[in-house]
Amino acid sequence: MINRTQIQLELDKLYRSDSRKIFATLVRLLGDFDLAEEALHDAFLAASKTWLTEGIPSQPVNWLISAGRFKSIDRIRKDKTAQRLLRQDPSKTESEEFNEDQYDEYLDDDVLKLIFTCCHPAVNPEIQIALTLREVCGLKTENIAQAFLVSTTTMAQRIVRGKGKIRHSAIPFELPAKNELNQRLDAVLLVIYLIYNEGYLATSGTSLLRIDLSNEAIRLATLLSELIDDSEVNGLLALLLFQDARKAARVDSAGNSILLENQDRSLWNAKQVQTGVHYLNRAFEGSYGVYTLQAAIAHEHVRAKEYTSTNWAAIEAFYRNIISIEPTAIFRLNHAVALSMVDGPESGLQQINALLLSNELKDYTFLYCAQGEMLYRQKRYTDALNAFSYAHSLTNQAAALQSIKCRMDEIKQHIR
C-alpha cells in the first residue's frame, strides 16, 4: 500500500518538473493568472489526500490539471471576485467530462503561448520580462528584483500591473499570427535566455545548477525554432546546447563549481555539441546578431580539446563584434576577460578599472572574481585576495560562496 511519504516525494518531483507547465495550461483554461495559481495549489493539495486512497494516477500531470480546473470552478461558484476574473462561461468548463488524454496535445506549447502573452506589445516592456520570469518560470519576486536592481516591493507592483494589463485588455493566451511574431520575438528570446541563465547559475538555493530550468529553456528554444526559422532563434538554441553540454563537468561530487580550465572534457556531451553546430551553421546563414555571436564563442570553448588550446583571439574578436552591436557592461566585462587571455592581464585590468569607475557593475560578484584572477596572474596576491573577498561579500548563493572561498584559500598559500 502506498504511504504518505511516497505520495509527498512524487508530488515534490512533479512540482519541480511540471508545475509551470500545469500552471500554463490552467492559465489558458481559466484565462487568469491568479485563478490559475490558486488552482495549481488546490490541485496539489487535493492530490496529497486523494492519491493516498486511490493511488497515483497513470497520468498524474493531466490529473492535476483537471483537479485544478474543477477546484477553480467550485471556487468561482462561491466567489464573486473569481467570477469577474473568469473570461469564459464557467458552466461550459464545468460540464466537460474528465479525459486523461485531453491535455496532452497542449502541454508542450502552453508555456510558449504564455511567454508570448506576457511579451505582448500592450504590456510595458520593463514589465514583460519580469512578469514572464515570475509567472512562467516561477522565480521568486525578490530574485527578479535583484536582477533588475530594484526593490522587491517595486518589482511586485510591476508584476501586478502586468497581470492587470493582460486581464483588462483581454489579451488572448495564444501564439500570435506569424506576421506578428517579430513584434515579440526579441522579448521572448531574452526570456528564454534568462530562464537558461537561472538554470546555469542559480541565484538562490544550495545548488549551482537548476537542471529543470536549463532543460525547459532548451525545450522552449527548440519549439520556437520549429515555429519560426530565424537566425537569432537558431543562434540562441545553439548557445544553450553548447553551454548545457558542459554541465556534467561543472560541479564536483560535493556540488562545488569547477572552473572551465579544470573541467574533465571527456564528460562533455558530444551529441549536444554536434546538434549545437547544426543550429549555429543555420544561424550564420541569415542575418545574425548577439545570440549567434555568443554561440560562436561557446563553440570555441567546446571545440578546444584542452583549455590551453582555446582560440582566445577568435573569442576576443567575437566579443568586439558583440560590443559593436550591444555595448552592455556585462559584454564589456567578458571582453576584458578574453582580452586578458590574448594580450595579458594588464590589458584586461584596464577595462575592469574602466567598468569600476563607471559604477555599472559595482555590486556584480563576477566583476571582482575576474579582477581577482587577473591580479593573481600578475602575482599580486594580496590585491587578488581582496578582490575575491569583496566578491564573496556580494553573493549569498551557496555554491558561489564555496567556490570563491576555495579560490581565496588557494591564494592565501602564496601570501604566507
Side-chain angles (χ1 to χ4, degrees), residues 51-114:
W51 293 3
L52 269 176
T53 55
E54 298 182 3
I56 298 172
S58 60
Q59 298 188 56
V61 170
N62 284 346
W63 191 100
L64 288 162
I65 292 170
S66 186
R69 184 188 60 169
F70 286 120
K71 288 287 183 183
S72 187
I73 296 305
D74 287 340
R75 187 189 299 275
I76 289 162
R77 283 205 214 100
K78 303 168 186 174
D79 187 337
K80 297 292 184 184
T81 300
Q83 289 175 21
R84 288 197 300 271
L85 293 177
L86 190 67
R87 292 184 183 178
Q88 62 193 47
D89 179 2
S91 62
K92 180 183 177 206
T93 308
E94 184 181 356
S95 65
E96 292 178 3
E97 294 295 326
F98 171 56
N99 175 353
E100 279 200 339
D101 297 320
Q102 66 182 324
Y103 303 115
D104 287 343
E105 64 180 295
Y106 302 110
L107 283 172
D108 276 346
D109 64 4
D110 272 344
V111 176
L112 194 59
K113 288 177 182 177
L114 191 52

Side-chain angles (χ1 to χ4, degrees), residues 112 115 137 188-201 209-225 231-248 250 268-280 283 290-302:
L112 194 59
I115 291 176
C137 309
V188 171
L189 288 173
L190 179 56
V191 165
I192 296 174
Y193 177 74
L194 292 173
I195 293 171
Y196 184 82
N197 279 355
E198 181 64 21
Y200 182 84
L201 188 65
L209 310 179
R210 282 196 59 183
I211 304 300
D212 58 329
L213 288 180
S214 300
N215 290 344
E216 180 67 359
I218 291 172
R219 187 185 73 84
L220 292 170
T222 303
L223 281 173
L224 195 57
S225 74
S231 284
E232 282 294 81
V233 172
N234 291 322
L236 175 61
L237 180 52
L239 170 62
L240 303 191
L241 289 166
F242 291 144
Q243 297 285 65
D244 202 61
R246 298 193 292 107
K247 67 172 177 263
R250 287 186 56 225
W268 291 359
N269 190 321
K271 185 176 180 181
Q272 272 190 298
V273 172
Q274 185 178 7
T275 305
V277 169
H278 165 75
Y279 285 104
L280 181 61
V290 168
Y291 292 114
T292 300
L293 290 167
Q294 287 182 85
I297 291 167
H299 183 230
E300 289 298 336
H301 286 299
V302 296

Side-chain angles (χ1 to χ4, degrees), residues 163-356:
K163 290 192 289 186
K165 182 65 178 180
I166 289 171
R167 182 187 304 126
H168 297 309
S169 301
I171 295 170
F173 292 95
E174 61 186 23
L175 293 174
K178 291 208 170 183
N179 61 349
E180 298 175 355
L181 280 172
N182 287 334
Q183 288 180 296
R184 308 187 212 178
L185 190 57
D186 286 347
V188 171
L189 288 173
L190 179 56
V191 165
I192 296 174
Y193 177 74
L194 292 173
I195 293 171
Y196 184 82
N197 279 355
E198 181 64 21
Y200 182 84
L201 188 65
T203 55
S204 62
T206 58
S207 176
L208 183 74
L209 310 179
R210 282 196 59 183
I211 304 300
D212 58 329
L213 288 180
S214 300
N215 290 344
E216 180 67 359
I218 291 172
R219 187 185 73 84
L220 292 170
T222 303
L223 281 173
L224 195 57
S225 74
E226 294 168 357
L227 183 68
I228 179 171
D229 187 16
D230 176 88
S231 284
E232 282 294 81
V233 172
N234 291 322
L236 175 61
L237 180 52
L239 170 62
L240 303 191
L241 289 166
F242 291 144
Q243 297 285 65
D244 202 61
R246 298 193 292 107
K247 67 172 177 263
R250 287 186 56 225
V251 293
D252 62 21
S253 58
N256 299 320
S257 175
I258 301 175
L259 295 175
L260 178 62
E261 61 198 84
N262 298 324
Q263 289 176 15
D264 180 355
R265 299 185 177 221
S266 68
L267 297 177
W268 291 359
N269 190 321
K271 185 176 180 181
Q272 272 190 298
V273 172
Q274 185 178 7
T275 305
V277 169
H278 165 75
Y279 285 104
L280 181 61
N281 289 337
R282 280 177 59 180
F284 273 124
E285 288 172 1
S287 179
Y288 60 85
V290 168
Y291 292 114
T292 300
L293 290 167
Q294 287 182 85
I297 291 167
H299 183 230
E300 289 298 336
H301 286 299
V302 296
R303 75 192 298 188
K305 295 188 185 302
E306 53 191 26
Y307 184 76
T308 54
S309 64
T310 304
N311 188 346
W312 285 104
I315 291 171
E316 189 272 331
F318 282 131
Y319 272 123
R320 268 191 285 114
N321 201 344
I322 288 173
I323 290 171
S324 70
I325 300 169
E326 196 172 311
T328 66
I330 294 292
F331 285 140
R332 281 155 39 217
L333 171 59
N334 292 338
H335 178 242
V337 173
L339 190 63
S340 77
M341 301 302 291
V342 176
D343 293 338
E346 182 58 37
S347 297
L349 281 169
Q350 288 178 6
Q351 292 203 17
I352 293 281
N353 290 336
L355 285 166
L356 288 169

